Amino acid sequence: MFRAMVKKEFLLVFRDLHALMALFVMPAIFILIMSVAMRDIFSQDSVHFDVAIVDLDKSAISKKLTTVIDNDKSFTIVSVEEAEFVMEMPKGYGNEESSKNQKIEIEVAGSLKSDAIELFKVKLLKHIVDLKLDIITERLSEFSDEAASAVGSVSLSSKDLFSISYNEGEDVPNSTQQSVPTWIVFGMFFMIIPMSTIYINERKQNTLARLNSMNVSIFSMTLSKIVPYLFIAQIQVWIMIAVGMFVVPLFNTPALEINGSVVALTLLSFSLSISAIGLSTLIAVSANSSEQATTIGGISNILLGSIGGVMVPKFIMPESMQQLADISPMSWGLDGFLDIFLKGGDTLMVLNESLMLLLFGIIALGISMLILHARIEKGL
Amino acid sequence: MIKISNIQKNYGDLKALDNLSIEIKKGSIFGLLGVNGAGKSTLLSILNGLTSIDGGEIEVFGFDMKKDKKKIKEISSIVPQNLAFYEKLSVKENLDFFANIQNATKENYQRAIEINDLSKILNQEAGTLSGGQKRRLNIAIGILNNPQIIYFDEPTVGIDPKSRNEILDSIKSYKDLGITVIYTSHYMNEIEKICDEVAIISNGKLVEQDSLENLLSNRASDKIYVEIIYDSNFDYSDFNLLDSSTIETTKSELAKLLHELDANNIDIKQIKYGASNLEKHFLEATKVQNV
């Protein structure tokens, strides 16, 4: 009997093309778009400027500065029309004999923010100072090799002057590491769409009552729905991971790396599925129509997602909002995935999140069964 | 026998069933009549073990509803008014599913297909069937478990007369198989056509229960039913208006009525003499109950 129930559920879900699109295609597209779109925002080292160089001087120094800028990955030399910064080195800029050096004229695109301009100035200043130091060293060497050597050994590289390390508790993900778990979690909760459509049709048409009159218990009815959606949710997780690993890199964006345990990943995705199935079932059995269920489901997903760090990453939220995020099961799932992808988390590390998700799902399923029982009893 | 003794069912302050007692003979086709909200669906839900009772007792073929609900469900089947199957599945997939659920034998499976003439549409998606075909599938699912009792809840709603007659004929054939049929319908002529015995319920109470023959013959009186084209300007208060188009009168009062109607230009469609049909009887019975 149970096998027949599960088979029926599979047939119904896989014949609902709109639902499959919502479950598989929507999150996959979101992962791709958001990973690529937020690539630079999430990147910790990629400061990037499009710059055009107008060299009116054509001196050895102006040519050297152009070469140095060209070799720096933070700069891309483009045409004047495409540039955010247009650098004009005037005639006489490289004249070392002149008492007053000519200044570089920089024209900045109006849309650029002041912090980007400051960053550009710092980067450019570093190259100019390096260049000037080279000239001074060369000059000094004519008088004293010792002095020239002393000046030449001065390094202005940030790597030599200071080191930066990230606090272990505050790892910051790259765009793919953020997007994949976010849209796995968000997409999974969208199973409300097929689930509510099928559930409400069954209830409205008295099919559930008919099954109950055939001695099919409410527990069996609920369990038979869990199995297919659990299976679908696992496929969903691995497809989204595959998109992060193999499709996103095709768009010049970092690939997803699973640094943590696959067992932990399986446990977490299982728990998250139970949680999503529980909430979807609760909404499906409580709503009076599939329109109502999809509206309530959509709104609750968006609310849980906004609180839980799907819309705005938790690490950029203020402290109070981060605490509020902890009430959302989406946040528990997201934290668990980030632990695995980012911190190389093992089963123990995600156990807390997994248990909370499981508990949430089981409680929601329990309440759903009570509601369904009451509805069948009242003939609703 | 199905013995319903003084059952009560309340939904908050509403008494859905109020000390209702009915006895249904094994192997009969039993009609259950009542207006919307009379308590028919609640009674069917209770008899199918879907809804519990607040008081009273029910015995179904020797099984007590409270103690042996599972067994009662095994020997019963309901054909709901709604099309309780899966429109995205084919006819065969639906039958396979419900047959599996109930461990139906191959023989019963085939019989359900044959009686309901489904063999040519087995691979068709249920959602694409005609109204009559959908009703037949709904009924076929109901007989897969070879039940001893079948409850039909208005099974012919929204279908054409030809399909309705085919369905009524198939329901009559269940009696020959020894199956007890409990049938509710808004169409009185269906009840007249297939039922042996009828119970009329109103406001959760039994108004009358008798054999169809007795119910009809008891009304064989001097009553005359004049069917008119209703005119809202005419004052009907001196006459016994049963519904918006029928006035009940007697032989001695007929001349006066016809005179009045003629004087007021009320057109007469037909005049029926003798026994009432079930519909008139039902209207009378529920009218008395509601006064």
Side-chain angles (χ1 to χ4, degrees), chain A residues 89-105:
Chain A
M89 287 183 274
K91 201 163 177 59
Y93 171 71
N95 186 356
E96 293 165 30
E97 306 304 323
S98 169
S99 58
K100 194 179 178 187
N101 278 350
Q102 295 282 337
K103 278 198 291 187
I104 299 174
E105 295 290 334

Side-chain angles (χ1 to χ4, degrees), chain A residues 15 202 205 210 215 377, chain B residues 51-52 70 86 93 138:
Chain A
R15 285 178 190 176
E202 282 182 313
Q205 292 296 102
R210 182 174 227 173
N215 275 324
E377 166 83 13
Chain B
T51 303
S52 54
K70 196 174 175 190
Y86 298 96
E93 284 166 340
N138 204 29

Side-chain angles (χ1 to χ4, degrees), chain B residues 63-78:
Chain B
F63 296 110
D64 183 275
M65 181 58 85
K66 284 177 188 160
K67 293 178 193 160
D68 308 311
K69 195 181 271 186
K70 196 174 175 190
K71 187 69 193 165
I72 291 173
K73 283 182 177 181
E74 276 175 22
I75 61 166
S76 314
S77 183
I78 184 166

Side-chain angles (χ1 to χ4, degrees), chain A residues 280-299:
Chain A
S280 301
T281 308
L282 185 58
I283 294 170
V285 300
S286 308
N288 290 320
S289 64
S290 45
E291 291 80 11
Q292 200 180 59
T294 44
T295 306
I296 296 171
I299 291 171

Side-chain angles (χ1 to χ4, degrees), chain B residues 60 66 105 107 122 134 142 167-168 189 191 258:
Chain B
V60 179
K66 284 177 188 160
T105 61
E107 191 188 355
L122 281 176
K134 283 180 181 176
I167 287 172
L168 291 176
N189 59 341
I191 302 270
L258 294 177

